[in-house]
């Protein structure tokens, strides 16, 4: 860790949409420190809370909330998102103004935005991180993708956490046939490391994502897991002031875990049951773990990734509504995620600053 006052201050701002954007920024924050930059973290809600727990010694700033809410019924997901668009646009507009004030106040010399559309400045080098060059929204995908690509064009660089090869994780989400965007493929980005630890749990359940869908899945799996024959660790994905642990029968429940404990628990688990969020997929690649996916209802990106990986014979999935604990037996019929090179040349990437 290098907190030298002569180091350049870099603002790093992940979107608060579940925990994935925040957790995939953890290796970037560490790399900034190792390369003699001083990260300043900015977000809101549980994403900011999580990063404050991980980096209590770093400066953190609060950004306006996009107030993203999921519909209880997945079919209404797009409509709910459209309804909240005015609030999102207001937050993005406010972000732009706040960031420009912060540049002067906190002597910021570079920006890394993970899908926060208003965290950008013409005054200093700004980088955008996304695995969604195409934004899946059903029959409106073409227009949402064009808008997103237009926004990305403003940035000095766009970092895509995948590999630019035939065998990749994101498929058409993170790859364009023809592009003039300033793209740099990082390879899978994960805060996790594979460790040779003895198996302690037959199944690890890890939840994330905005309400009410996180809570609905928790309630469903709490019932289903009663029929599981084996030792289970169940991480609810609720970020609170204190960690809570509860043992009910063969299941150990936690509200949340910080990176070190989570990394150990992943390594000590035989199989993983989780959302098909892209950050979780990258973690599983790094850890070489077999999994079963339950995509968030109505979230086109997660549904696309789950279908893609099942079609390739890598990971099975089920809808939230149809999932039964017996479905986990399908895991053994699938190959598991490929081992991809995740070595990042941070020194080269940080030259943008």
């Amino acid at each position: 860790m290098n907190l030298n006052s002569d180091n350049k201050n870099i603002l790093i701002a992940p979107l608060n949409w579940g925990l994935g954007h925040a957790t995939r920024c953890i290796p970037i924050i560490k790399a900034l420190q190792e390369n003699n930059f001083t990260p300043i973290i900015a977000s809101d809600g549980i994403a900011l809370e999580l990063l404050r727990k991980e980096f209590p010694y770093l400066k953190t700033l609060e950004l306006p909330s996009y107030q993203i809410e999921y519909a209880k019924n997945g079919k209404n997901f797009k409509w709910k998102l459209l309804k909240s668009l005015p609030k999102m646009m207001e937050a993005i507009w406010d972000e732009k103004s706040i960031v420009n004030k912060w540049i002067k106040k906190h002597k910021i010399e570079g920006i890394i935005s993970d899908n926060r559309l208003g965290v950008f400045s013409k005054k200093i080098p700004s980088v955008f991180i996304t695995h969604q060059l195409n934004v899946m929204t059903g029959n409106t995908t073409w227009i949402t993708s064009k808008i997103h690509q237009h926004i990305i064009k403003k940035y000095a660089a766009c970092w895509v956490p995948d590999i630019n090869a035939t065998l990749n994780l994101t498929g058409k989400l993170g790859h364009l046939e023809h592009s003039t965007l300033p793209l740099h493929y990082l390879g899978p980005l994960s805060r996790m490391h594979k460790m040779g630890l003895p198996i302690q749990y037959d199944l690890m359940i890890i939840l994330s994502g905005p309400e009410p869908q996180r809570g609905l899945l928790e309630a469903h799996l709490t019932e289903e897991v009663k029929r599981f024959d084996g030792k289970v660790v169940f991480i609810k994905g609720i970020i609170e002031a204190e960690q809570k642990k509860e043992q009910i029968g063969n299941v150990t429940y936690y509200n949340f875990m910080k990176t070190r404990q989570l990394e150990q628990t992943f390594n000590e688990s035989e199989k993983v049951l989780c959302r098909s969020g892209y950050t979780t997929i990258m973690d599983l690649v790094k850890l070489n773990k077999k999994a079963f996916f339950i995509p968030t209802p109505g979230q086109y990106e997660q549904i696309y990734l789950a279908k893609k990986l099942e079609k390739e014979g890598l990971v099975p999935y089920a809808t939230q509504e149809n999932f039964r604990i017996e479905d986990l037996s399908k895991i053994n019929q699938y190959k598991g995620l490929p081992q991809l090179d995740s070595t990042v040349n941070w020194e080269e990437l940080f030259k943008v600053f």
Side-chain angles (χ1 to χ4, degrees):
M1 175 177 39
N2 195 325
L3 299 178
N4 189 322
S5 59
D6 294 337
N7 296 347
K8 284 184 176 180
N9 292 337
I10 307 295
L11 185 73
I12 180 158
L15 180 64
N16 176 33
W17 184 317
L19 295 173
H21 295 280
T23 56
R24 74 183 183 191
C25 282
I26 289 172
I28 302 174
I29 293 165
K30 289 179 176 175
L32 283 166
Q33 291 175 297
E34 286 161 10
N35 286 272
N36 301 319
F37 293 95
T38 302
I40 296 173
I41 298 164
S43 192
D44 68 283
I46 57 168
L48 186 58
E49 285 175 45
L50 180 132
L51 291 173
R52 278 177 173 154
K53 288 181 188 295
E54 292 289 334
F55 302 100
Y57 49 85
L58 288 180
K59 184 182 284 183
T60 57
L61 304 169
E62 190 157 2
L63 283 162
S65 171
Y66 282 21
Q67 298 181 50
I68 298 161
E69 289 178 37
Y70 277 33
K72 278 193 175 177
N73 185 332
K75 289 173 187 170
N76 299 330
F77 177 80
K78 198 184 343 181
W79 171 239
K80 186 95 172 177
L81 213 55
L82 282 169
K83 268 179 76 178
S84 60
L85 207 55
K87 285 180 183 174
M88 279 177 67
M89 294 310 294
E90 191 182 336
I92 290 164
W93 192 257
D94 289 344
E95 266 183 343
K96 287 181 181 177
S97 168
I98 290 165
V99 166
N100 277 316
K101 287 173 188 166
W102 284 350
I103 288 168
K104 198 172 181 182
K105 186 179 178 182
H106 301 291
K107 296 179 178 150
I108 294 164
E109 295 183 65
I111 286 171
I112 300 172
S113 165
D114 188 330
N115 277 267
R116 292 200 81 114
L117 306 178
V119 179
F120 167 82
S121 176
K122 290 177 181 173
K123 298 173 188 173
I124 57 174
S126 300
V127 171
F128 194 74
I129 302 173
T130 188
H131 63 277
Q132 292 189 79
L133 302 173
N134 285 310
V135 181
M136 301 280 178
T137 53
N139 56 7
T140 51
T141 293
W142 67 276
I143 186 68
T144 48
S145 298
K146 287 291 175 201
I147 292 167
H148 203 222
Q149 290 162 27
H150 179 71
I151 291 164
I152 293 167
K153 209 174 276 185
K154 299 185 303 181
Y155 287 79
C158 176
W159 296 348
V160 183
D162 194 5
I163 59 168
N164 193 18
T166 309
L167 178 67
N168 62 65
L169 298 175
T170 57
K172 60 184 176 186
L173 277 179
H175 299 82
L176 301 172
E177 282 186 31
H178 307 288
S179 174
T180 55
L181 297 175
L183 302 177
H184 300 269
Y185 286 85
L186 308 183
L189 204 54
S190 174
R191 57 183 168 151
M192 301 294 164
H193 298 90
K194 187 172 167 56
M195 299 146 80
L197 299 177
I199 296 298
Q200 303 291 338
Y201 303 101
D202 299 292
L203 177 65
M204 175 183 183
I205 299 173
I206 181 162
L207 306 186
S208 63
E211 300 295 355
Q213 290 299 341
R214 189 216 59 81
L216 291 169
L217 183 57
E218 182 193 329
H220 180 47
L221 294 182
T222 301
E223 285 304 309
E224 286 297 317
V225 82
K226 288 174 183 175
R227 299 200 310 281
F228 185 79
D229 183 22
K231 210 170 165 190
V232 182
V233 59
F234 193 135
I235 301 144
K236 298 177 182 181
I238 304 169
I239 306 297
E240 294 174 312
E242 299 294 325
Q243 188 187 61
K244 293 170 192 167
K245 180 183 176 184
E246 186 182 16
Q247 186 74 38
I248 302 174
N250 60 332
V251 187
T252 310
Y253 290 93
Y254 289 89
N255 51 350
F256 74 92
M257 285 183 181
K258 287 207 268 187
T259 295
R260 191 166 290 183
Q261 187 186 10
L262 190 65
E263 181 179 58
Q264 181 175 332
T265 307
F266 259 118
N267 276 283
E268 290 175 341
S269 301
E270 185 72 39
K271 293 166 184 167
V272 182
L273 174 60
C274 55
R275 293 290 194 200
S276 50
Y278 187 58
T279 300
T280 306
I281 290 169
M282 291 193 290
D283 288 341
L284 293 166
V285 165
K286 193 81 177 278
L287 294 161
N288 193 20
K289 287 290 168 187
K290 285 203 159 192
F292 193 102
F293 291 141
I294 303 175
T296 302
Q299 194 172 335
Y300 293 96
E301 168 218 350
Q302 286 197 13
I303 295 164
Y304 168 77
L305 287 169
K307 285 181 175 177
K308 173 189 184 290
L309 296 170
E310 184 183 64
K311 192 179 174 184
E312 291 169 355
L314 303 175
V315 183
Y317 86 96
T319 63
Q320 187 164 301
E321 194 181 337
N322 295 330
F323 174 78
R324 296 295 175 265
I325 205 73
E326 292 76 18
D327 293 340
L328 295 177
S329 62
K330 295 176 187 173
I331 292 176
N332 295 328
Q333 298 162 27
Y334 287 75
K335 289 182 282 190
L337 290 156
Q339 290 298 285
L340 300 174
D341 181 25
S342 55
T343 310
V344 184
N345 187 344
W346 292 113
E347 195 179 341
E348 189 62 34
L349 286 167
F350 292 154
K351 280 180 182 174
V352 69
F353 304 124

